[in-house]
Amino acid sequence: MYAQLRETAAELAGILWREHTVYRERGGGVVIRGEHVRRWISLAPTGGKDQALLRAGRILDGGTTAPARTEVVVDLTAPVAELATVCRRMLAEVAAAADPGPGAGPSRSGRPGKAPKPGKAPKPGKAPKARKPPGVRSRHTGAGSWVVLVLVGIAVAAWVYSVFGSPGY
């Protein structure tokens, strides 16, 4: 069965894409990757004779494959041109699902975007902070920090005096 899948996949790959990679899957199937179109097609054996499970999906950034978007069982005895037609239809469905169009998908945060309410003006953005002139320097250490440093210094000096300041040392 693997030999038949491999031959069919090689013929399909030649018809569908000029640039392609054909390799074996772990489950005994064959995968055709079209890196330039960012799509993949998989032919996997089914329980039936001369039948294969045809799946199609996208190739994500970094080269990983997304889960299959469409699946169909095909007859391997059919002419390769018919199988190519089925593959093209599945690839078109994958492409349509991958590109939903403007405003149809979720926002960058993953939540669907809200439509502005009619009759309500959008809120104005925050004004940028005013910058100081280049000649004016700000103090990095505030007065409170200086007080804490002085008190810590006094505490350390008192401890040193109590330990090392006695005449018996």
Side-chain angles (χ1 to χ4, degrees):
M1 183 69 173
Y2 173 71
Q4 185 181 12
L5 284 176
R6 176 83 179 176
E7 289 172 15
T8 306
E11 289 179 48
L12 270 175
I15 292 172
L16 294 172
W17 299 315
R18 288 185 314 251
E19 302 170 24
H20 58 269
T21 306
V22 179
Y23 62 92
R24 183 174 181 193
E25 253 182 328
R26 275 183 256 162
V30 181
V31 177
I32 308 167
R33 287 177 68 110
E35 296 287 342
H36 63 292
V37 292
R38 302 178 57 84
R39 304 284 180 261
W40 61 267
I41 296 173
S42 168
L43 287 157
T46 61
K49 183 178 176 168
D50 293 331
Q51 289 185 338
L53 176 64
L54 187 65
R55 301 182 308 150
R58 296 183 310 144
I59 298 175
L60 302 174
D61 293 335
T64 59
T65 55
R69 294 274 185 167
T70 59
E71 295 181 350
V72 67
V73 176
V74 294
D75 187 13
L76 292 178
T77 58
V80 178
E82 286 183 26
L83 293 176
T85 303
V86 172
C87 288
R88 284 189 184 107
R89 188 187 77 234
M90 291 175 67
L91 290 169
E93 290 174 12
V94 169
D99 304 325
S107 66
R108 287 179 57 183
S109 65
R111 295 177 294 193
K114 281 195 209 174
K117 293 183 180 178
K120 196 168 188 182
K123 292 181 182 177
K126 265 187 168 179
K129 285 187 175 181
R131 296 199 61 134
K132 293 183 180 179
V136 177
R137 292 185 63 192
S138 66
R139 292 188 348 194
H140 293 289
T141 309
S145 298
W146 282 113
V147 170
V148 170
L149 286 174
V150 168
L151 290 176
V152 169
I154 291 171
V156 169
W159 176 77
V160 168
Y161 180 74
S162 68
V163 172
F164 299 111
S166 64
Y169 181 73

